Amino acid sequence: LHFLREVKVPGAVTCRIAATTRGRTRLEHTVEIWDHAVEPPRLAARGRVVHVGVDRRTRRPHPWPEDVLARCWPPDPTEV
């Protein structure tokens, strides 16, 4: 996470996370933190998070279940 500006307390922020990339066992998300104490709201931080699916028994990388992937990338209603 890269902090771009100070956010004063008390304040109001919006945190956004979006799935951006998927591999066989990993999901990458972008993260943004927006400062709403200023007008117009300004980007205060941004970065990325990588999650790796792991089999609980073997502790080895494991493909993500389809139901999890479906929540990250819901079907586009215009393509149905």
Side-chain angles (χ1 to χ4, degrees), residues 66-77:
E66 287 303 316
D67 64 318
V68 172
L69 296 176
R71 283 186 235 136
C72 294
W73 285 277
D76 183 344

Side-chain angles (χ1 to χ4, degrees), residues 9-75:
V9 177
V13 298
T14 297
C15 300
R16 296 180 182 164
I17 184 167
T20 54
T21 307
R22 80 184 244 196
R24 192 176 79 77
T25 62
R26 77 182 193 108
L27 292 173
E28 185 173 318
H29 298 83
T30 57
V31 178
E32 295 179 342
I33 299 173
W34 288 83
D35 182 2
H36 288 273
V38 295
E39 192 56 45
R42 294 187 63 192
L43 184 62
R46 69 173 159 227
R48 69 184 184 113
V49 177
V50 177
H51 295 98
V52 176
V54 175
D55 181 291
R56 290 181 187 213
R57 186 179 56 79
T58 65
R59 306 299 298 154
R60 302 285 304 152
H62 187 269
W64 286 94
E66 287 303 316
D67 64 318
V68 172
L69 296 176
R71 283 186 235 136
C72 294
W73 285 277

